[in-house]
Amino acid sequence: MTTFNAFLVTNEGGQFAASLQKVDRGALPPGEVLVRVAYSSLNYKDGLAVTGRPGVIRKYPMVPGIDLAGVVEESRSSEFKPGEKVVVTGCGTSETIWGGYAELARLDAEFLVPLPPSMTLKQAAGIGTAGFAAMQSIMALECHGLKPAGREVLVTGASGGVGSIAVATLANLGYQVAATTGRAELHGYLRSLGASAILDRATVAAPSGRPLEAQRWAAAIDNVGGETLAGLLRSVAMGGSVASVGLAGGAEFTATVLPFILRGVNLLGIDSSRMNNRQRREVWARLARDLPLNLLDRMINVEPLENIRELGEQILAGKIRGRTVIEVN
């Protein structure tokens, strides 16, 4: 096989172009392991990359696709052998390293994680960066004292990928989960994942003249940022924590220091791309243990690679529910 199908993005003289095309195998960047990709996924950053928005791709030409799941075809690493199933999530893919929107990907072994035995390749892609970040957030909250007994845990932007997986996992672990969404038609979906309370997103983001509100949340996983993050900080209970994992509602927020100095609230930044391989394996082990795969299957919608531009526009417009898996082969 001298060529392979890939969704290739170029930018020459400020002219963005992206299309599905045949690429010569020799054009693959260097790396220790060659993977035949079965599935990728759609994340917010993927939407930015495939539609020409700035902020993700740093090197052209680029094959986007932050996540990939597939089978090792060739390996110069003792860690992986041909035929082994692997998963890759956000390790610079789609930024400086060619990603999952192609039949072949070549990466260094440090970025690959063996597929957990309980999962299929499709499920691993369905988890992807979104599920990885959701579990990373839960683990960070646990490290700061979160336990199932007590007040509710709030998940914002709950109908998206990070939110859906966070709701399902937290509920499975025994937490009372509250979820926010701006789409009333998705209330039943969120309850099916385990949410016990659903709030309109405007309620949490509403401005307030008070720096602190009544204590409600034991903790929160915030996938929105902006006014939503500012609003929920005012209602986090004493000693609670907020894992900040997304910015769909904006990168900037205005708040006071009072939640931090009067209630001891912790604001935890979640960066899912810069973790070493040992930490990545720990997160995947927790996902295999604590995320109900039957609920994951309900979240997944499979789409062909040729639809990626349209899907990218949809996720940026907030029209995607759950997880979209991209069938590459």
Side-chain angles (χ1 to χ4, degrees):
M1 182 178 177
T2 58
T3 63
F4 61 97
N5 290 319
F7 186 83
L8 193 68
V9 174
T10 59
N11 191 335
E12 298 180 3
Q15 295 296 312
F16 174 85
S19 63
L20 189 61
Q21 55 187 274
K22 292 285 186 182
V23 176
D24 188 275
R25 187 170 175 144
L28 281 165
E32 298 170 311
V33 184
L34 180 68
V35 179
R36 179 161 296 281
V37 182
Y39 298 99
S40 186
S41 71
L42 178 69
N43 301 284
Y44 191 86
K45 288 173 68 175
D46 294 315
L48 295 173
V50 302
T51 58
R53 268 73 159 188
V56 178
I57 299 176
R58 302 178 188 175
K59 182 179 178 181
Y60 293 92
M62 177 57 61
V63 173
I66 295 173
D67 307 324
L68 63 92
V71 179
V72 174
E73 191 159 294
E74 299 173 3
S75 176
R76 293 186 288 105
S77 167
S78 60
E79 290 287 321
F80 297 96
K81 296 179 174 57
E84 187 171 358
K85 295 177 180 179
V86 294
V87 59
V88 176
T89 54
C91 53
T93 42
S94 201
E95 298 177 10
T96 59
I97 301 171
W98 282 18
Y101 294 166
E103 292 178 307
L104 295 176
R106 184 179 283 142
L107 308 102
D108 286 336
E110 64 179 302
F111 302 131
L112 278 63
V113 172
L115 181 75
S118 60
M119 292 181 192
T120 65
L121 289 172
K122 183 170 75 172
Q123 289 171 329
I127 292 170
T129 289
F132 188 93
M135 179 54 75
Q136 198 181 346
S137 299
I138 293 170
M139 292 169 71
L141 294 173
E142 290 173 342
C143 285
H144 284 77
L146 183 66
K147 292 181 171 56
R151 300 176 187 266
E152 298 164 292
V153 178
L154 178 67
V155 178
T156 68
S159 61
V162 175
S164 293
I165 292 176
V167 168
T169 306
L170 285 166
N172 186 56
L173 289 169
Y175 292 94
Q176 294 185 69
V177 185
T180 73
T181 181
R183 301 167 65 184
E185 71 273 16
L186 295 182
H187 286 198
Y189 165 73
L190 291 172
R191 291 193 185 280
S192 76
L193 299 181
S196 56
I198 300 174
L199 291 75
D200 187 278
R201 64 187 178 193
T203 302
V204 178
S208 172
R210 294 182 291 183
L212 293 173
E213 302 287 350
Q215 301 181 59
R216 178 168 182 181
W217 316 120
I221 295 176
D222 176 47
N223 192 42
V224 180
E227 294 177 350
T228 296
L229 177 56
L232 70 88
L233 281 170
R234 294 191 292 265
S235 300
V236 176
M238 188 77 69
S241 300
V242 176
S244 176
V245 70
L247 45 68
E252 298 181 1
F253 71 100
T254 301
T256 73
V257 300
L258 296 184
F260 309 115
I261 65 173
L262 295 184
R263 290 181 178 170
V265 171
N266 305 294
L267 182 58
L268 312 175
I270 304 299
D271 178 4
S272 61
S273 64
R274 294 169 183 84
M275 299 187 77
N276 62 43
N277 194 266
R278 177 187 60 79
Q279 292 171 318
R280 290 181 182 278
R281 294 183 186 222
E282 289 174 356
V283 174
W284 278 100
R286 282 292 304 272
L287 284 161
R289 189 188 82 184
D290 295 330
L291 171 62
L293 293 180
N294 63 316
L295 295 184
L296 174 66
D297 290 337
R298 293 186 202 171
M299 304 175 202
I300 291 175
N301 178 47
V302 180
E303 294 280 354
L305 182 56
E306 54 261 34
N307 292 349
I308 194 62
R309 287 287 292 272
E310 177 186 352
L311 293 166
E313 295 286 0
Q314 290 179 16
I315 197 169
L316 296 183
K319 296 179 179 179
I320 296 291
R321 188 202 82 172
R323 291 292 286 153
T324 299
V325 168
I326 307 301
E327 190 165 20
V328 177
N329 275 311

